[in-house]
């Protein structure tokens, strides 16, 4: 790990870049902010945000507790719902309350972006500038409350690699209770513990994460169980949704039945590929090095791949970079994300009555481009790490691949 001095020129530069990213994102969302988020304007100008939409849509404008609404409760884990409810109290009622609610929340998001950039700067200072300069990050910054969970996830990774396991496990539990997506990090974490032969430490880590998560969730589970369960029910019951490869296939006429089973099998395929890759590495990897590869791979086969999910992946991609030769793959991936970002909003504009926008087939192709560029960047990172292997390790990798996927001449 590299150390960033508190007020060094690099630190000040990263803060300024983060502020610049916030200003650029604000400029992108300003049209919707000034026109009251009218449809189809929110799609034509690609400035849709869940923040104003859910303020009145979930009765937060009346300061209703986020999980009191039953089927109208917020569709997020406990910490995000609490933030949505708490920030509603910072907004005076009146005709500008929706705009004020948006402004209060994006102020916090910009502060969180600064914190995120600084954490990335501590982990990978030579590439930290990529995060605030990412066009996909700037475009998606104010769509949702994701930054609240991203900060704690990155801190959990940072402390895990520094062997501060108690702090890491607590922060990971907080992140999971904020957005749940970081629960996927437990897979590479378990592998790293197993490869280090630290089984007791692994058990303690998992128990701590579970206990803290339950401690955060239990009050809401007991007092408003229906509202608490809404997030998990929606994710279990949902079909192929925006951004997913399965939704793209359905738009192209390739409908698949039993999607839940297919996505489970696809997840197991990703886990198997990840295990083969990790076993082939010449040394135990850090969580910093493998988090992006695994989480991005899972998103590529998931039932939904929302535009703002890139906010989770870009910091993980930046800290996974090992050298400047990998920057080409990073920017190719960013191009894919920008293509998708434009395509989804213009397609939704067309659906909502605008006179232009890509049809369903065009949107599906943009989705596949996004997934293809993500897989391309994953392949670059994997290839770079496997290039460090000795000939003996390469032979082991070939035998590992042959075990589940190979053929044999030993049978007639």
């Amino acid at each position: 790990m590299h150390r960033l001095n508190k007020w060094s020129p690099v630190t000040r530069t990263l803060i300024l870049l983060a502020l610049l990213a916030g200003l650029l994102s604000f400029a992108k969302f300003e049209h919707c902010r000034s026109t009251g988020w009218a449809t189809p304007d929110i799609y034509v100008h690609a400035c849709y945000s869940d923040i104003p939409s859910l303020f009145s849509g979930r009765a937060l404008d009346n300061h209703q507790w986020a999980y009191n609404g039953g089927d109208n409760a917020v569709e997020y884990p406990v910490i995000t719902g609490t933030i949505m409810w708490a920030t509603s109290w910072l907004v005076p009622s009146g005709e500008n309350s929706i705009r004020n609610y948006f402004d209060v929340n994006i102020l916090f998001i910009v502060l969180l972006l600064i914190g995120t950039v600084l954490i990335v700067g501590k982990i990978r200072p030579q590439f930290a500038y990529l995060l605030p300069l990412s066009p996909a990050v700037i475009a998606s910054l104010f769509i949702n409350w994701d930054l609240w969970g991203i900060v704690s996830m990155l801190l959990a990774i940072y402390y895990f690699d520094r062997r501060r396991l108690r702090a890491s496990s607590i922060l990971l539990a907080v992140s999971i209770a904020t957005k749940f997506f970081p629960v996927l990090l437990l897979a590479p974490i378990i592998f790293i513990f197993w490869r280090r032969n630290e089984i007791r430490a692994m058990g303690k880590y998992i128990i701590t994460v579970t206990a803290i998560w339950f401690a955060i969730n239990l009050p809401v589970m007991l007092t408003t169980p229906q509202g608490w369960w809404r997030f998990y029910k929606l994710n279990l019951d949902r079909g192929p949704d925006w951004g997913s490869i399965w939704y793209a296939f359905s738009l192209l006429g390739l409908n698949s039945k039993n999607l839940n089973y297919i996505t489970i099998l696809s997840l197991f395929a990703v886990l198997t590929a990840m295990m083969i890759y990790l076993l082939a590495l010449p040394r135990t990897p850090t969580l910093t090095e493998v988090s992006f590869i695994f989480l991005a791979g899972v998103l590529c086969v998931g039932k939904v791949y929302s535009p703002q999910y890139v906010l989770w992946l870009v910091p993980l991609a930046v800290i996974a970079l090992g050298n400047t030769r990998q920057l080409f793959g990073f920017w190719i991936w960013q191009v894919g994300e920008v293509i998708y970002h434009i395509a989804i909003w213009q397609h939704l504009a067309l659906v909502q009555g605008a006179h232009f926008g890509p049809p369903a087939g065009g949107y599906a192709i943009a989705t596949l481009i996004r997934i293809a560029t993500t897989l391309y960047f994953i392949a670059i990172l994997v290839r770079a790490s496997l290039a460090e292997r000795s000939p003996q390790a390469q032979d082991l990798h070939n035998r590992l691949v042959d075990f589940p996927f190979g053929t044999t001449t030993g049978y007639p």
Side-chain angles (χ1 to χ4, degrees):
M1 295 288 181
H2 297 270
R3 182 165 184 155
L4 222 62
N5 293 329
K6 189 173 182 182
W7 293 112
S8 68
V10 174
T11 301
R12 293 196 295 270
T13 300
L14 290 177
I15 292 173
L16 288 174
L17 287 175
L19 289 172
L20 175 62
L23 287 172
L24 290 173
S25 190
F26 181 80
K28 176 179 180 288
F29 284 84
E30 169 58 19
H31 176 83
C32 287
R33 178 180 175 274
S34 61
T35 57
W37 287 276
T39 302
D41 261 18
I42 53 174
Y43 305 124
V44 172
H45 293 271
C47 51
Y48 170 82
S49 172
D50 287 328
I51 297 171
S53 176
L54 297 181
F55 178 61
S56 55
R58 299 295 178 266
L60 296 168
D61 52 345
N62 296 323
H63 309 304
Q64 175 179 281
W65 170 234
Y67 298 96
N68 266 351
D71 288 338
N72 198 42
V74 301
E75 53 270 60
Y76 298 103
V78 167
I79 293 180
T80 296
T82 302
I83 290 165
M84 294 166 66
W85 171 77
T87 52
S88 73
W89 289 93
L90 302 177
V91 176
S93 59
E95 59 178 334
N96 292 323
S97 60
I98 295 179
R99 180 193 294 186
N100 293 334
Y101 184 71
F102 178 76
D103 290 347
V104 166
N105 276 280
I106 68 171
L107 174 61
F108 283 115
I109 289 171
V110 170
L111 294 175
L112 289 165
L113 177 64
I114 293 172
T116 301
V117 171
L118 292 178
I119 296 166
V120 170
K122 290 181 75 67
I123 299 172
R124 196 72 77 223
Q126 65 269 44
F127 296 119
Y129 68 92
L130 293 170
L131 174 55
L133 293 182
S134 162
V137 167
I138 293 169
S140 306
L141 190 59
F142 299 142
I143 293 178
N144 203 283
W145 291 266
D146 292 75
L147 262 292
W148 287 95
I150 292 168
V151 167
S152 48
M153 177 191 71
L154 287 172
L155 284 172
I157 294 171
Y158 175 72
Y159 285 123
F160 182 86
D161 286 339
R162 291 172 68 91
R163 299 295 189 102
R164 295 177 61 178
L165 299 181
R166 179 178 297 178
S168 174
S169 58
I170 292 171
L171 286 161
L172 183 60
V174 169
S175 187
I176 295 169
T178 304
K179 278 290 183 174
F180 202 73
F181 178 58
V183 72
L184 296 171
L185 284 177
L186 286 174
I189 285 172
I190 289 171
F191 173 84
I192 291 170
F193 276 126
W194 173 75
R195 185 152 173 177
R196 290 175 182 166
N197 197 27
E198 298 176 353
I199 307 303
R200 181 175 295 180
M202 177 178 70
K204 185 176 180 180
Y205 190 97
I206 294 172
I207 289 171
T208 302
V209 170
T210 304
I212 297 297
W213 183 86
F214 267 109
I216 294 170
N217 280 265
L218 198 58
V220 181
M221 292 169 64
L222 294 176
T223 56
T224 49
Q226 185 181 356
W228 175 84
W229 178 244
R230 183 166 190 251
F231 164 76
Y232 302 96
K233 185 177 186 299
L234 284 173
N235 282 279
L236 289 170
D237 294 345
R238 79 192 317 161
D241 214 331
W242 296 107
S244 73
I245 192 171
W246 315 111
Y247 188 65
F249 285 161
S250 70
L251 292 178
L252 295 173
L254 303 172
N255 292 297
S256 55
K257 297 181 180 179
N258 302 316
L259 180 63
N260 282 333
Y261 295 110
I262 293 172
T263 53
I264 291 171
L265 288 174
S266 299
L267 178 58
F268 275 116
V270 171
L271 285 168
T272 301
M274 189 72 180
M275 182 64 69
I276 292 172
Y277 160 66
L278 293 172
L279 288 171
L281 293 175
R283 56 177 175 78
T284 302
T286 64
L287 190 55
T288 292
E289 293 170 327
V290 299
S291 293
F292 172 82
I293 294 170
F294 181 66
L295 268 63
V298 170
L299 282 178
C300 286
V301 300
K303 289 193 289 185
V304 61
Y305 194 171
S306 298
Q308 73 271 17
Y309 287 5
V310 72
L311 295 174
W312 294 85
L313 295 183
V314 172
L316 297 178
V318 172
I319 63 177
L321 287 169
N323 56 64
T324 55
R325 294 190 300 275
Q326 297 165 358
L327 289 177
F328 177 77
F330 176 86
W331 287 113
I332 289 293
W333 170 52
Q334 288 294 291
V335 169
E337 287 287 346
V338 171
I339 289 172
Y340 177 78
H341 189 88
I342 295 170
I344 185 173
W345 300 122
Q346 299 314 308
H347 173 65
L348 286 170
L350 182 68
V351 171
Q352 294 296 323
H355 299 295
F356 59 91
Y363 167 70
I365 291 171
T367 301
L368 296 178
I369 290 173
R370 181 199 199 189
I371 292 173
T373 54
T374 303
L375 293 173
Y376 173 71
F377 184 46
I378 291 173
I380 285 178
L381 295 176
V382 169
R383 184 176 62 184
S385 57
L386 292 179
E388 304 173 5
R389 297 173 300 161
S390 64
Q392 293 83 359
Q394 293 178 18
D395 181 62
L396 171 62
H397 176 257
N398 292 334
R399 285 184 277 121
L400 282 167
V401 172
D402 285 341
F403 178 71
F405 302 121
T407 58
T408 178
T409 57
Y411 297 113

